[in-house]
Structure formats: structure tokens, C-alpha cells
Amino acid sequence: MTWNAYYRGDGTSRPDTRLPAPPPWRTFPNRPVASVFRPPEGLVEAVNAALALRRPLLITGTPGSGKSTVVEQVAAELALGPVLRWHITSRATLADALYRYDALGRIHAHRLQQEKARAGADTGDGDDIAAFIGLGPLGTALLPSERPRALLVDEIDKSDLDLPGDLLEVLERGEFRIPELLREGQDVAELRMWDSADKYRVERGHVQCTEFPFIVMTSNGEQELPAPFLRRCVRYTMPKPTAALIREVVRGHLQLEMTENGPEAELVNEFVRRVAAGESVAVDQLLGTLHLLHGADAQSAAKVRGRGERERLIALLMKDLSGA
């Protein structure tokens, strides 16, 4: 393979090597994606229904189909502020999403205070439990506000079987309580908000939203969700991609003018065929491949010569996600 403008595998130091510019979606801080996302047919209606009904929007689709991008675009268009994110794993719990109590940290701080007291040093303001409680992403989204916050609950189908059921009461009532504050008899507590240095004044351990947050939950369809949970959601399934839709996505992300013929068009058509056949390949894999083959760096792209080299690069980047 002759595409070796950077790493060459010969152990020779080349401190003056200039790396190529990154793809647009891999620049940091990340650029907003709202301007390049193209919602498929029916998604706009589903979003507006969820907004009007104050219900979560559950979007099911294959990895890389743009499910999590929807909330970014809605938040940008409606000025809902930074998107709060709750990434689901099999260990995720509702309690952690609402607030997090660092009991061990409080015990450690209490011991340090005792040691300072024995040494005759100033121990500060005493044992303030609020210093060890922080609101989670869902808890922050449920704070009273003039406009709803936007919350992404990513991959809800990867959760423990009980989590969707645990969410039901919170989704219906839009409120929760912090028992640790109630047990301590702390009527007023300044609690840190999620992913922020800001604090919110919580009274009597009770949080009640005034505007129900705009919640997007994504699912890859790996687990069947309970009917009572589904009843409380507006549901939308991302359609299988078409060649025309993917060409629009490529134009938006790469500013690459796509035609219906040529090697790039054939790569798009092959991607659509693989998805239709049930393979697990994502749009960002295709974008990365086209970026390297066409626009990563004029010098390096020119080095990808010959059908064999091109096919090796495509095979490297377009592997089925269901395998290792």
C-alpha cells in the first residue's frame, strides 16, 4: 500500500510531518451538527407530536442512522440550551440519572474534620450533605425553567429490564424527591447541576418541573421494551437509507457534490445494499471512507491509487459492526 504519507513503519523520526486536516465531524470542539442533519420522512411530525404532547420521543434505528442527532437539531432550532446526555448501560439506574450522593466522600470528609478538630484547627462550616449531592442529567432536566431542557437518553434498550418501568412515574409526574436531604432535615440545599458548575436551590428535597423536558430516547432494537413504557412515548423508526438520502448526507458533511454515477456513487449504492441486506454498517463509516478517498488531503488522496489499494482501504473502514 502506497498511502503512507504519515506513518511509514520504518522507525525513522520525522518531526516535521504535517498531519492532514481532520474530517469536519472530528474537529474539537465539535462543530454543531444541526445544520447538516436531514430528517427523514415523518420525523418532523414525530418531533412536533412529542413537543405538543410533552411526551418522550423514542427513536429506533440502526447504529449511525442519526438517531441521537435529532435532539441536537431540535435544541438548536428551539433554543433549548445545551443538550443533557444520559448514556445507558446495563448498570444504569434511575437514581443515578436523578442525583448522585457521594456517601464515601462524605465519610472521608467527616474523618478529616474530626482530625482537624483534635488538632485544634478550624473545621469550616461543618458537615453539609449538599456538598456531596449532585443532580444527574434527568434530575437537571426536571428542574423548574421557563423553557424545557433537551435530554438525550442514549440506547435505552441496553438497560436493565427494570429501568424502563422505573422511569414511568417520573415521566408521568415530572418530579422526584431526594430522601437523603429529608433524612438530614435540610430544608434548603444548593445542588450542583449536571455537566455544569452552576447550582440550583432545592427546597425540602423536592424537584418539580414547570416545563416537561424534550426527551429523545434512542434504541437499536436489541431489547423489547414494556408496553406501559411504550404507551408513554411517541415512537418513530428510522427508515432504511436510500441512495438519494445518503448522497444528501454526504453533501452536507463533506461538501462533496455527489452524482448518480462514478466510484463515489457506487460506494454509496453498495452501502445502501448492505444495510438493506441486514448488515450493520454506519453512515459515519461511509463518510470517513469518502473523506479519505476524496477529500482528506489532496496529496494523500492522490496516493490511493489502483483498484486493489482502494478496495483494501474500503474493506478496512467499512467492516460490519456486528463482528470484531
Side-chain angles (χ1 to χ4, degrees):
M1 183 173 182
T2 59
W3 196 66
N4 59 0
Y6 318 112
Y7 167 68
R8 302 185 186 181
D10 58 12
T12 301
S13 175
R14 299 180 181 87
D16 296 329
T17 300
R18 183 181 65 85
L19 295 177
W25 60 93
R26 291 297 294 166
T27 57
F28 299 95
N30 294 128
R31 70 167 187 166
V33 296
S35 60
V36 297
F37 178 69
R38 301 292 182 267
E41 183 179 1
L43 181 55
V44 171
E45 290 83 355
V47 168
N48 286 327
L51 287 167
L53 295 173
R54 306 303 197 270
R55 291 292 191 185
L57 174 62
L58 175 63
I59 304 179
T60 303
T62 57
S65 57
K67 302 186 298 296
S68 59
T69 309
V70 177
V71 68
E72 297 279 358
Q73 190 172 67
V74 174
E77 287 194 17
L78 302 183
L80 302 183
V83 175
L84 300 162
R85 298 174 182 274
W86 180 17
H87 296 284
I88 299 295
T89 68
S90 59
R91 300 180 301 277
T93 65
L94 175 61
D96 284 343
L98 294 174
Y99 69 94
R100 300 183 182 187
Y101 172 42
D102 184 8
L104 292 178
R106 189 183 183 198
I107 291 172
H108 179 65
H110 183 66
R111 288 175 178 170
L112 289 178
Q113 283 186 333
Q114 289 178 326
E115 292 176 5
K116 288 181 179 180
R118 285 194 293 267
D122 183 9
T123 59
D125 297 330
D127 184 22
D128 180 12
I129 188 176
F132 301 95
I133 296 178
L135 294 170
L138 178 58
T140 300
L142 291 172
L143 290 174
S145 59
E146 293 184 359
R147 294 181 65 77
R149 292 296 305 268
L151 171 66
L152 172 66
V153 183
D154 203 19
E155 299 189 329
I156 184 68
D157 56 325
K158 284 187 167 54
S159 70
D160 178 87
L161 293 174
D162 293 331
L163 180 59
D166 294 341
L167 272 171
L168 293 182
E169 182 176 359
V170 173
L171 296 181
E172 284 299 287
R173 300 175 64 89
E175 66 176 347
F176 67 98
R177 296 186 182 275
I178 303 175
E180 289 82 357
L181 293 176
L182 298 175
R183 286 198 299 265
E184 297 278 336
Q186 190 158 337
D187 290 338
V188 177
E190 297 282 341
L191 301 184
R192 297 184 309 277
M193 298 164 62
W194 179 256
D195 202 21
S196 171
D198 296 335
K199 294 186 176 182
Y200 186 85
R201 183 185 179 93
V202 174
E203 297 183 1
R204 293 181 294 280
H206 180 232
V207 174
Q208 171 74 70
C209 73
T210 52
E211 286 288 340
F212 189 77
F214 173 64
I215 302 175
V216 171
M217 301 182 182
T218 70
S219 169
N220 295 328
E222 296 180 4
Q223 173 183 302
E224 186 174 345
L225 298 169
F229 174 81
L230 295 176
R231 181 170 60 84
R232 290 165 171 84
C233 300
V234 174
R235 290 177 284 165
Y236 178 83
T237 300
M238 297 292 279
K240 296 290 186 182
T242 64
L245 178 61
I246 297 300
R247 286 196 295 269
E248 283 299 313
V249 171
V250 172
R251 289 189 185 99
H253 281 279
L254 296 179
Q255 288 75 54
L256 175 62
E257 190 57 38
M258 296 289 295
T259 63
E260 296 185 11
N261 300 298
E264 286 79 18
E266 178 54 36
L267 192 57
V268 168
N269 293 336
E270 176 63 18
F271 171 81
V272 172
R273 284 194 292 269
R274 291 179 65 182
V275 172
E279 289 191 53
S280 181
V281 285
V283 174
D284 57 352
Q285 291 175 271
L286 176 66
L287 291 173
T289 304
L290 288 171
H291 176 73
L292 290 185
L293 290 176
H294 191 276
D297 173 17
Q299 178 184 2
S300 298
K303 291 180 179 291
V304 185
R305 296 170 178 167
R307 185 175 182 85
E309 183 174 5
R310 175 187 174 89
E311 289 180 351
R312 286 194 297 272
L313 185 59
I314 293 173
L316 173 69
L317 298 175
M318 295 296 296
K319 293 181 179 179
D320 192 315
L321 296 175
S322 61

